Amino acid sequence: MVLLTGWPIYNVDRSYYIDFVHNNYLTYITEKDRVVLISPCEVRASVPHGAIKLDLEKVLVEPIGNYRSYAESILFIKQFYSAIKKHHGDSFYCRFPDPFVWMPSLLFNSKSIIHIVGDPIETLWSD
């Protein structure tokens, strides 16, 4: 399975780290299958507070350049395209509204689950 998410990962001394909560999701998913994680990656000198080292035996990391907004993600569209194309025969789990979640199914006809995160109606009506 390929996870296409905006979960930030951190490269510290050629090791990858991820937020504790996201690591829990990965731990559960990798009990059943190996996972490819396509996510933005920030190179750092030290491990951020609360980050956990990824088990690279179960998770293959496809890092995308670090972006903080939809506008910035456009700078990395070629990286997204290449990473998705590389795994186009796999099933994709995509978290919307992360950028380019439409690529696997529309460009490569890959089986995709698009999980809409949050309640859009509640978001529209909130202050």
Side-chain angles (χ1 to χ4, degrees):
M1 170 170 285
V2 180
L3 296 176
L4 178 57
T5 73
W7 298 344
I9 54 177
Y10 308 98
N11 182 337
V12 180
D13 294 329
R14 294 179 297 204
S15 293
Y16 291 106
Y17 295 82
I18 193 165
D19 177 76
F20 175 78
V21 172
H22 298 142
N23 188 67
N24 285 343
Y25 287 120
L26 286 172
T27 299
Y28 176 75
I29 295 167
T30 56
E31 288 177 2
K32 303 193 183 330
D33 197 4
R34 185 171 162 85
V35 171
V36 176
L37 178 62
I38 301 174
S39 283
C41 183
E42 179 182 348
V43 177
R44 296 187 59 144
S46 62
V47 178
H49 178 72
I52 303 293
K53 190 173 185 178
L54 281 173
D55 179 356
L56 297 180
E57 289 184 19
K58 295 184 177 185
V59 178
L60 172 64
V61 175
E62 291 283 352
I64 303 297
N66 193 35
Y67 58 89
R68 299 199 195 302
S69 68
Y70 262 65
E72 283 183 12
S73 72
I74 296 295
L75 299 171
F76 304 103
I77 194 166
K78 287 182 180 180
Q79 288 181 19
F80 275 98
Y81 181 88
S82 295
I84 293 167
K85 182 178 181 182
K86 183 176 178 181
H87 301 284
H88 76 275
D90 295 329
S91 296
F92 281 77
Y93 173 79
C94 308
R95 298 195 34 107
F96 183 81
D98 294 332
F100 311 115
V101 297
W102 48 269
M103 269 190 189
S105 59
L106 291 179
L107 296 183
F108 300 104
N109 202 27
S110 293
K111 181 180 174 188
S112 299
I113 297 169
I114 298 178
H115 177 191
I116 298 174
V117 181
D119 179 354
I121 302 299
E122 184 177 296
T123 303
L124 289 172
W125 292 107
S126 67
D127 291 330

